[in-house]
Amino acid sequence: MILTTEIRNKAKYLVSLYPNLPYLIYTRRMELLSSNNDHPDENIGGGSGGRVGQPTEQKAILLITDPHLRELERTGEVLEGLMGVYSLERQRLIESLYMRQETKGKVAKDLGISVRTLERWNKEFLTDFAERMGLFEERGEWE
């Protein structure tokens, strides 16, 4: 798998959302639940045309199928999964770089590693994250 610039940037963006994920997920759910414009009442007689007729069911389907909400939820699941298998040093690297947005030099110094080692670990993390998120499959990047 090749970690292209596009995939790397998408992975970095998603990881950077982690500190605010609960709020972002809540906000997206509220947007979906409060929007009434998706399925206006078209009751002019006749059948429902295959649509689910119940508003509650429509909202449930919308929550389950919304790609943005699914991506946010999946981001949290993948990050928590990776943090559970990584060493404490690598966890600290991820937290420092993405949650606290510290510089690579400061993080490397705090961890007692070279900047090159930090960059290698970071690339490995982003590759693992992108793979688990399915970002390679979206682009057909499997080799």
mmCIF file of all heavy atoms in Angstrom, residues 23-38 59 62-63 66 68-69 72:
data_model
loop_
_atom_site.group_PDB
_atom_site.id
_atom_site.type_symbol
_atom_site.label_atom_id
_atom_site.label_comp_id
_atom_site.label_asym_id
_atom_site.label_seq_id
_atom_site.Cartn_x
_atom_site.Cartn_y
_atom_site.Cartn_z
ATOM 1 N N TYR A 23 -18.699 15.818 20.207
ATOM 2 C CA TYR A 23 -19.494 16.990 19.845
ATOM 3 C C TYR A 23 -19.909 16.939 18.370
ATOM 4 O O TYR A 23 -21.066 17.221 18.030
ATOM 5 C CB TYR A 23 -18.705 18.275 20.126
ATOM 6 C CG TYR A 23 -19.396 19.505 19.612
ATOM 7 C CD1 TYR A 23 -20.497 20.037 20.279
ATOM 8 C CD2 TYR A 23 -18.970 20.128 18.435
ATOM 9 C CE1 TYR A 23 -21.154 21.166 19.802
ATOM 10 C CE2 TYR A 23 -19.616 21.264 17.951
ATOM 11 C CZ TYR A 23 -20.712 21.766 18.634
ATOM 12 O OH TYR A 23 -21.359 22.877 18.148
ATOM 13 N N LEU A 24 -18.978 16.584 17.488
ATOM 14 C CA LEU A 24 -19.277 16.525 16.058
ATOM 15 C C LEU A 24 -20.333 15.467 15.746
ATOM 16 O O LEU A 24 -21.229 15.694 14.929
ATOM 17 C CB LEU A 24 -17.999 16.251 15.254
ATOM 18 C CG LEU A 24 -16.942 17.348 15.291
ATOM 19 C CD1 LEU A 24 -15.642 16.854 14.651
ATOM 20 C CD2 LEU A 24 -17.440 18.606 14.603
ATOM 21 N N ILE A 25 -20.234 14.321 16.406
ATOM 22 C CA ILE A 25 -21.221 13.255 16.200
ATOM 23 C C ILE A 25 -22.588 13.703 16.705
ATOM 24 O O ILE A 25 -23.604 13.536 16.020
ATOM 25 C CB ILE A 25 -20.758 11.955 16.885
ATOM 26 C CG1 ILE A 25 -19.559 11.374 16.123
ATOM 27 C CG2 ILE A 25 -21.897 10.942 16.972
ATOM 28 C CD1 ILE A 25 -18.860 10.234 16.837
ATOM 29 N N TYR A 26 -22.628 14.299 17.877
ATOM 30 C CA TYR A 26 -23.889 14.799 18.433
ATOM 31 C C TYR A 26 -24.507 15.846 17.507
ATOM 32 O O TYR A 26 -25.705 15.798 17.206
ATOM 33 C CB TYR A 26 -23.655 15.387 19.831
ATOM 34 C CG TYR A 26 -24.859 16.090 20.390
ATOM 35 C CD1 TYR A 26 -25.897 15.365 20.972
ATOM 36 C CD2 TYR A 26 -24.990 17.473 20.313
ATOM 37 C CE1 TYR A 26 -27.016 16.001 21.470
ATOM 38 C CE2 TYR A 26 -26.108 18.123 20.804
ATOM 39 C CZ TYR A 26 -27.120 17.384 21.386
ATOM 40 O OH TYR A 26 -28.239 18.023 21.859
ATOM 41 N N THR A 27 -23.687 16.781 17.052
ATOM 42 C CA THR A 27 -24.180 17.849 16.177
ATOM 43 C C THR A 27 -24.737 17.274 14.881
ATOM 44 O O THR A 27 -25.809 17.691 14.422
ATOM 45 C CB THR A 27 -23.045 18.848 15.857
ATOM 46 O OG1 THR A 27 -22.553 19.384 17.087
ATOM 47 C CG2 THR A 27 -23.530 19.978 14.977
ATOM 48 N N ARG A 28 -24.033 16.315 14.287
ATOM 49 C CA ARG A 28 -24.504 15.721 13.031
ATOM 50 C C ARG A 28 -25.814 14.980 13.249
ATOM 51 O O ARG A 28 -26.731 15.070 12.430
ATOM 52 C CB ARG A 28 -23.432 14.783 12.460
ATOM 53 C CG ARG A 28 -23.834 14.167 11.129
ATOM 54 C CD ARG A 28 -24.004 15.231 10.061
ATOM 55 N NE ARG A 28 -24.465 14.629 8.826
ATOM 56 C CZ ARG A 28 -25.068 15.287 7.867
ATOM 57 N NH1 ARG A 28 -25.275 16.596 7.974
ATOM 58 N NH2 ARG A 28 -25.465 14.681 6.784
ATOM 59 N N ARG A 29 -25.923 14.252 14.356
ATOM 60 C CA ARG A 29 -27.177 13.546 14.638
ATOM 61 C C ARG A 29 -28.336 14.528 14.781
ATOM 62 O O ARG A 29 -29.429 14.289 14.276
ATOM 63 C CB ARG A 29 -27.037 12.716 15.909
ATOM 64 C CG ARG A 29 -26.265 11.449 15.704
ATOM 65 C CD ARG A 29 -26.216 10.625 16.968
ATOM 66 N NE ARG A 29 -25.423 9.425 16.749
ATOM 67 C CZ ARG A 29 -24.748 8.798 17.680
ATOM 68 N NH1 ARG A 29 -24.778 9.243 18.931
ATOM 69 N NH2 ARG A 29 -24.060 7.727 17.404
ATOM 70 N N MET A 30 -28.085 15.632 15.476
ATOM 71 C CA MET A 30 -29.143 16.626 15.659
ATOM 72 C C MET A 30 -29.537 17.267 14.324
ATOM 73 O O MET A 30 -30.708 17.526 14.072
ATOM 74 C CB MET A 30 -28.709 17.708 16.658
ATOM 75 C CG MET A 30 -28.591 17.221 18.087
ATOM 76 S SD MET A 30 -30.128 16.520 18.744
ATOM 77 C CE MET A 30 -29.813 14.771 18.651
ATOM 78 N N GLU A 31 -28.548 17.514 13.454
ATOM 79 C CA GLU A 31 -28.845 18.045 12.121
ATOM 80 C C GLU A 31 -29.750 17.093 11.355
ATOM 81 O O GLU A 31 -30.724 17.512 10.722
ATOM 82 C CB GLU A 31 -27.554 18.248 11.315
ATOM 83 C CG GLU A 31 -26.702 19.398 11.746
ATOM 84 C CD GLU A 31 -25.357 19.423 11.027
ATOM 85 O OE1 GLU A 31 -25.063 18.515 10.219
ATOM 86 O OE2 GLU A 31 -24.575 20.354 11.293
ATOM 87 N N LEU A 32 -29.422 15.814 11.408
ATOM 88 C CA LEU A 32 -30.210 14.824 10.682
ATOM 89 C C LEU A 32 -31.608 14.677 11.263
ATOM 90 O O LEU A 32 -32.590 14.541 10.521
ATOM 91 C CB LEU A 32 -29.496 13.474 10.684
ATOM 92 C CG LEU A 32 -28.189 13.414 9.910
ATOM 93 C CD1 LEU A 32 -27.472 12.099 10.168
ATOM 94 C CD2 LEU A 32 -28.418 13.622 8.423
ATOM 95 N N LEU A 33 -31.708 14.713 12.581
ATOM 96 C CA LEU A 33 -33.015 14.532 13.218
ATOM 97 C C LEU A 33 -33.913 15.751 13.078
ATOM 98 O O LEU A 33 -35.132 15.629 13.086
ATOM 99 C CB LEU A 33 -32.835 14.189 14.698
ATOM 100 C CG LEU A 33 -32.235 12.818 14.973
ATOM 101 C CD1 LEU A 33 -31.968 12.649 16.466
ATOM 102 C CD2 LEU A 33 -33.146 11.715 14.460
ATOM 103 N N SER A 34 -33.315 16.919 12.940
ATOM 104 C CA SER A 34 -34.137 18.129 12.868
ATOM 105 C C SER A 34 -34.474 18.537 11.440
ATOM 106 O O SER A 34 -35.312 19.399 11.243
ATOM 107 C CB SER A 34 -33.438 19.290 13.575
ATOM 108 O OG SER A 34 -32.260 19.638 12.876
ATOM 109 N N SER A 35 -33.840 17.920 10.458
ATOM 110 C CA SER A 35 -34.129 18.328 9.079
ATOM 111 C C SER A 35 -35.428 17.693 8.617
ATOM 112 O O SER A 35 -35.608 16.486 8.683
ATOM 113 C CB SER A 35 -32.976 17.923 8.148
ATOM 114 O OG SER A 35 -32.890 16.524 8.068
ATOM 115 N N ASN A 36 -36.323 18.538 8.158
ATOM 116 C CA ASN A 36 -37.612 18.064 7.669
ATOM 117 C C ASN A 36 -37.724 18.193 6.157
ATOM 118 O O ASN A 36 -38.743 17.871 5.585
ATOM 119 C CB ASN A 36 -38.755 18.842 8.329
ATOM 120 C CG ASN A 36 -38.882 18.510 9.792
ATOM 121 O OD1 ASN A 36 -38.683 17.373 10.190
ATOM 122 N ND2 ASN A 36 -39.194 19.507 10.596
ATOM 123 N N ASN A 37 -36.701 18.695 5.524
ATOM 124 C CA ASN A 37 -36.764 18.942 4.091
ATOM 125 C C ASN A 37 -36.388 17.729 3.252
ATOM 126 O O ASN A 37 -36.573 17.747 2.048
ATOM 127 C CB ASN A 37 -35.832 20.106 3.719
ATOM 128 C CG ASN A 37 -36.245 21.381 4.405
ATOM 129 O OD1 ASN A 37 -37.416 21.570 4.699
ATOM 130 N ND2 ASN A 37 -35.292 22.256 4.654
ATOM 131 N N ASP A 38 -35.855 16.684 3.879
ATOM 132 C CA ASP A 38 -35.416 15.521 3.115
ATOM 133 C C ASP A 38 -36.576 14.780 2.466
ATOM 134 O O ASP A 38 -36.464 14.308 1.341
ATOM 135 C CB ASP A 38 -34.626 14.556 4.000
ATOM 136 C CG ASP A 38 -33.302 15.147 4.437
ATOM 137 O OD1 ASP A 38 -32.791 16.030 3.723
ATOM 138 O OD2 ASP A 38 -32.802 14.725 5.491
ATOM 139 N N LYS A 59 -36.156 8.605 9.945
ATOM 140 C CA LYS A 59 -35.045 9.198 10.705
ATOM 141 C C LYS A 59 -34.023 8.135 11.086
ATOM 142 O O LYS A 59 -32.819 8.366 11.012
ATOM 143 C CB LYS A 59 -35.552 9.920 11.962
ATOM 144 C CG LYS A 59 -36.422 11.124 11.667
ATOM 145 C CD LYS A 59 -35.648 12.212 10.970
ATOM 146 C CE LYS A 59 -36.544 13.419 10.761
ATOM 147 N NZ LYS A 59 -35.892 14.508 10.087
ATOM 148 N N LEU A 62 -32.040 7.290 8.102
ATOM 149 C CA LEU A 62 -31.143 8.405 7.815
ATOM 150 C C LEU A 62 -29.919 8.376 8.730
ATOM 151 O O LEU A 62 -28.787 8.564 8.278
ATOM 152 C CB LEU A 62 -31.898 9.730 7.973
ATOM 153 C CG LEU A 62 -31.250 10.988 7.453
ATOM 154 C CD1 LEU A 62 -30.937 10.872 5.966
ATOM 155 C CD2 LEU A 62 -32.166 12.184 7.700
ATOM 156 N N LEU A 63 -30.129 8.102 10.019
ATOM 157 C CA LEU A 63 -29.004 8.029 10.966
ATOM 158 C C LEU A 63 -28.064 6.877 10.630
ATOM 159 O O LEU A 63 -26.852 6.995 10.774
ATOM 160 C CB LEU A 63 -29.524 7.865 12.398
ATOM 161 C CG LEU A 63 -30.156 9.088 13.036
ATOM 162 C CD1 LEU A 63 -30.795 8.726 14.368
ATOM 163 C CD2 LEU A 63 -29.144 10.203 13.208
ATOM 164 N N ASP A 66 -26.285 7.777 6.845
ATOM 165 C CA ASP A 66 -25.595 9.033 6.552
ATOM 166 C C ASP A 66 -24.085 8.807 6.485
ATOM 167 O O ASP A 66 -23.465 8.409 7.480
ATOM 168 C CB ASP A 66 -25.913 10.081 7.617
ATOM 169 C CG ASP A 66 -25.249 11.406 7.316
ATOM 170 O OD1 ASP A 66 -25.624 12.042 6.316
ATOM 171 O OD2 ASP A 66 -24.336 11.794 8.080
ATOM 172 N N HIS A 68 -21.509 10.887 6.318
ATOM 173 C CA HIS A 68 -20.697 11.764 7.172
ATOM 174 C C HIS A 68 -20.725 11.286 8.626
ATOM 175 O O HIS A 68 -19.682 11.207 9.288
ATOM 176 C CB HIS A 68 -21.174 13.209 7.054
ATOM 177 C CG HIS A 68 -20.361 14.191 7.824
ATOM 178 N ND1 HIS A 68 -19.020 14.392 7.590
ATOM 179 C CD2 HIS A 68 -20.683 15.005 8.853
ATOM 180 C CE1 HIS A 68 -18.558 15.299 8.430
ATOM 181 N NE2 HIS A 68 -19.544 15.683 9.217
ATOM 182 N N LEU A 69 -21.894 10.949 9.119
ATOM 183 C CA LEU A 69 -22.023 10.454 10.484
ATOM 184 C C LEU A 69 -21.281 9.135 10.642
ATOM 185 O O LEU A 69 -20.571 8.923 11.619
ATOM 186 C CB LEU A 69 -23.497 10.282 10.863
ATOM 187 C CG LEU A 69 -23.786 9.747 12.260
ATOM 188 C CD1 LEU A 69 -23.195 10.655 13.330
ATOM 189 C CD2 LEU A 69 -25.283 9.574 12.465
ATOM 190 N N LEU A 72 -17.534 9.777 10.909
ATOM 191 C CA LEU A 72 -17.163 10.290 12.230
ATOM 192 C C LEU A 72 -17.144 9.167 13.273
ATOM 193 O O LEU A 72 -16.200 9.042 14.049
ATOM 194 C CB LEU A 72 -18.118 11.398 12.668
ATOM 195 C CG LEU A 72 -18.058 12.713 11.902
ATOM 196 C CD1 LEU A 72 -19.213 13.625 12.316
ATOM 197 C CD2 LEU A 72 -16.722 13.400 12.106
#
